[in-house]
């Protein structure tokens, strides 16, 4: 399993639209094959910046999602709202303390 982190920055006037669309799509994204967790974070100092954290069983699962109609619908809507190029990382979790 690995973690996918995506940083997105929005025009302030588009934040509500992003959050509304995320609310509509989050369950479908979470239920994508191989997805084990989906979280959304908002930066405390700059409310225009958001991060998604998603846990995936395999890189193939993530790639299948990225090639899906669901991803196309989510990304086609979301990318129009950005005020900066999004950044993404795939990382392996080494330690988790709870």
């Amino acid at each position: 399993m690995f973690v996918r982190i995506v940083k997105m920055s929005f025009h302030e006037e588009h934040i509500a639209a992003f959050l509304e669309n995320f609310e509509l799509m989050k369950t479908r994204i979470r239920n994508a094959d191989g997805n084990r967790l989906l979280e959304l974070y908002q930066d405390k100092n700059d409310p225009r910046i958001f991060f998604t954290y998603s846990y995936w069983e395999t890189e193939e699962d993530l790639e299948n999602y990225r090639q899906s109609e669901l991803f196309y619908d989510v990304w086609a809507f979301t990318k129009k709202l950005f005020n900066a190029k999004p950044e993404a990382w795939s990382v392996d979790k080494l330690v988790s303390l709870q």
Side-chain angles (χ1 to χ4, degrees):
M1 185 170 357
F2 70 99
V3 181
R4 179 74 167 180
I5 304 167
V6 180
K7 177 184 177 186
M8 302 168 287
S9 184
F10 297 96
H11 293 281
E12 196 165 333
E13 63 270 18
H14 296 315
I15 292 172
F18 164 70
L19 290 172
E20 182 179 312
N21 192 60
F22 188 85
E23 185 66 26
L24 292 172
M25 300 297 212
K26 67 183 182 184
T27 302
R28 291 177 60 202
I29 297 168
R30 172 56 186 86
N31 289 330
D33 287 344
N35 183 278
R36 297 294 168 249
L37 178 90
L38 176 64
E39 297 179 318
L40 177 66
Y41 298 96
Q42 186 175 29
D43 189 274
K44 288 195 109 15
N45 297 314
D46 187 343
R48 298 170 301 168
I49 297 174
F50 290 80
F51 298 87
T52 57
Y53 278 58
S54 54
Y55 289 25
W56 296 89
E57 286 293 326
T58 67
E59 291 185 35
E60 183 180 11
D61 290 328
L62 173 60
E63 190 56 31
N64 288 339
Y65 166 68
R66 293 184 73 224
Q67 298 301 318
S68 72
E69 185 176 331
L70 172 59
F71 179 82
Y72 176 81
D73 291 344
V74 170
W75 203 245
F77 178 85
T78 305
K79 69 182 181 180
K80 297 182 291 188
L81 310 176
F82 292 145
N83 69 2
K85 184 178 178 182
E87 299 177 65
W89 301 268
S90 291
V91 299
D92 291 321
K93 184 191 301 189
L94 299 181
V95 176
S96 179
L97 302 176
Q98 301 208 14

